[in-house]
Structure formats: structure tokens, C-alpha cells
Amino acid sequence: QNFAALPNLTQLEMVQNDLTSMKEICNFTSLTYLSLNENKIGPNLPTNFTALTNLKQLYLRANQLARFPGNILNKMAKYCF
């Protein structure tokens, strides 16, 4: 699928898809909800993760993340790792 055709996407759930990166997903700056539980993302978040300025709910449980910048969590209503 070509996700570039969805510039105003606000919610995305891709659970159990064996994703190893979320670099392309970070281009969806309108996202408010993102669930990528049970993938293989890691060990770090991509540098463009900070572009997700509208993100309020983030779910990254059961991935391979080694670290997560705590200051990003301050603006989110819900998150789970």
C-alpha cells in the first residue's frame, strides 16, 4: 500500500506485523493515535519521531526498544511500552 496518499491520517494500528522500523510512519504528522504493539521495532526510535507533534496515544508494547526519550511522553495522554 502507498500510505503517502493519506496525509491526514490521524489513527494507525499495525499490531503483529513484524515491523522493524517506524521511520516512514513518522511522516504522518497528523497522527493522534498510534499502536504498533508486538512488532520488532528497535533498538531506538527514528530521529524523525519528534515530528509526531499531534500524537496523544502511543502503544509500543512488546517491541525491541532499548531506550525511549522521556521528554516525549510529557505531552501524551496515554502510552504503553
Side-chain angles (χ1 to χ4, degrees), residues 13 18 20-21 23-24 26-27 32 38 42 45-46 51 60 62 65 77:
E13 185 166 329
D18 291 330
T20 57
S21 173
K23 185 176 181 180
E24 293 81 17
C26 292
N27 293 327
T32 59
E38 299 177 40
L45 291 175
L60 292 170
L65 291 168

Side-chain angles (χ1 to χ4, degrees), residues 42-55:
N44 298 308
L45 291 175
T47 55
N48 64 338
F49 181 79
T50 55
L52 298 176
T53 57
N54 293 308
L55 198 59

Side-chain angles (χ1 to χ4, degrees), residues 25 60 68 78:
I25 293 170
L60 292 170
F68 194 86
K78 295 182 180 180

Side-chain angles (χ1 to χ4, degrees), residues 6-13 25-36 49 51-59 72 75-80:
L6 303 169
N8 298 318
L9 187 69
T10 59
Q11 298 184 14
L12 180 62
E13 185 166 329
I25 293 170
C26 292
N27 293 327
F28 299 110
T29 56
S30 296
L31 282 176
T32 59
Y33 171 91
L34 178 59
S35 178
L36 300 174
F49 181 79
L52 298 176
T53 57
N54 293 308
L55 198 59
K56 299 297 179 201
Q57 296 183 51
L58 175 64
Y59 302 93
I72 292 174
K75 63 182 178 187
M76 292 186 203
K78 295 182 180 180
Y79 51 88
C80 179

